[in-house]
Amino acid sequence: MRPELQERVFTVLPGNEQFLGGVDVYRAMSSGKEDDADMPLTRRPEVLGGHSMPGDKLGGLLSAFFSAASYNEPRADKVNATGDPAVRGQRQKKNGLFFGEWESLAGQWLAAGQPRSRCGVITVLALTSSHLRFVYVQRRRGGSRLGDAVEPGAAFHRSLLSWTRRTHNRSDSFQFGFTDASWGTLTIPSSKEFLQLFP
């Protein structure tokens, strides 16, 4: 993680937790299947409200165009959120992107990893001595320049995470399994950094 991004993450972490590292995370690429990792729009947190940077409007239009052209729009209406144990085995076998109810730990995890914002945002997963914390940092849309706005998101105690694994189909997609038997997938481009935190 670049130093200026790390500095912004520090500003919202509790003082009693030691920062061990962090990675940028993104929504896993949509597969359009019933076990997709797309969350309903109403469950995704709205973050960094009221903030903007020059170029956000143009960047937003380009982002919308790219999503439409690549057919990578979230398709949460197709996702079958279920905690049925019979379905769990089938999704494990097919290396499914999501298993659980929307309210499950994985459902809450995926929602935190797919924020809504009117400005550009980098979603950071920060690992501390006791928690996994989502942090949202403002960035210019279509660019890498960071803004001043930072917002803490959902936090998960480390004891709730049971396992992590790389998916078979993409080297930058990682699954997170939780103690309630649910799991969800996020894209992590800096996989080397991730594997240092979660060997």
Side-chain angles (χ1 to χ4, degrees), residues 127-149:
L127 176 67
T128 74
S129 49
S130 59
H131 286 79
L132 292 154
R133 296 185 174 275
F134 285 89
V135 178
Y136 309 108
V137 179
Q138 180 188 20
R139 71 163 173 81
R140 181 178 177 175
R141 280 190 185 272
S144 60
R145 198 181 81 179
L146 299 181
D148 296 326

Side-chain angles (χ1 to χ4, degrees), residues 32-107:
K33 298 179 180 176
E34 65 175 6
D35 61 356
D36 210 337
D38 287 332
M39 296 302 294
L41 197 61
T42 56
R43 292 187 174 272
R44 295 165 58 201
E46 191 160 348
V47 302
L48 303 176
H51 296 280
S52 65
M53 293 179 74
D56 274 353
K57 287 184 181 177
L58 177 60
L61 288 171
L62 291 173
S63 178
F65 174 76
F66 175 75
S67 292
S70 64
Y71 301 105
N72 191 30
E73 281 295 310
R75 304 172 71 156
D77 58 324
K78 307 249 186 224
V79 180
N80 180 13
T82 177
D84 183 350
V87 175
R88 185 176 197 274
Q90 182 182 11
R91 289 197 180 168
Q92 276 181 317
K93 200 177 210 180
K94 293 181 177 179
N95 200 33
L97 298 180
F98 171 57
F99 173 78
E101 303 283 351
W102 295 129
E103 297 80 16
S104 68
L105 290 168

Side-chain angles (χ1 to χ4, degrees), residues 10 73 86 94 124 137 170 192 198:
F10 278 154
E73 281 295 310
K94 293 181 177 179
V124 175
V137 179
R170 287 182 59 100
K192 185 177 178 182
F198 298 92

Side-chain angles (χ1 to χ4, degrees), residues 97-172:
L97 298 180
F98 171 57
F99 173 78
E101 303 283 351
W102 295 129
E103 297 80 16
S104 68
L105 290 168
Q108 296 171 53
W109 179 266
L110 291 178
Q114 300 174 37
R116 294 181 293 149
S117 179
R118 292 182 182 272
C119 66
V121 61
I122 295 177
T123 303
V124 175
L125 176 61
L127 176 67
T128 74
S129 49
S130 59
H131 286 79
L132 292 154
R133 296 185 174 275
F134 285 89
V135 178
Y136 309 108
V137 179
Q138 180 188 20
R139 71 163 173 81
R140 181 178 177 175
R141 280 190 185 272
S144 60
R145 198 181 81 179
L146 299 181
D148 296 326
V150 184
E151 184 177 322
F156 297 79
H157 196 276
R158 288 176 58 169
S159 63
L160 297 175
L161 186 67
S162 296
W163 52 265
T164 61
R165 68 178 171 220
R166 193 189 301 252
T167 61
H168 299 313
N169 56 344
R170 287 182 59 100
S171 63
D172 62 354

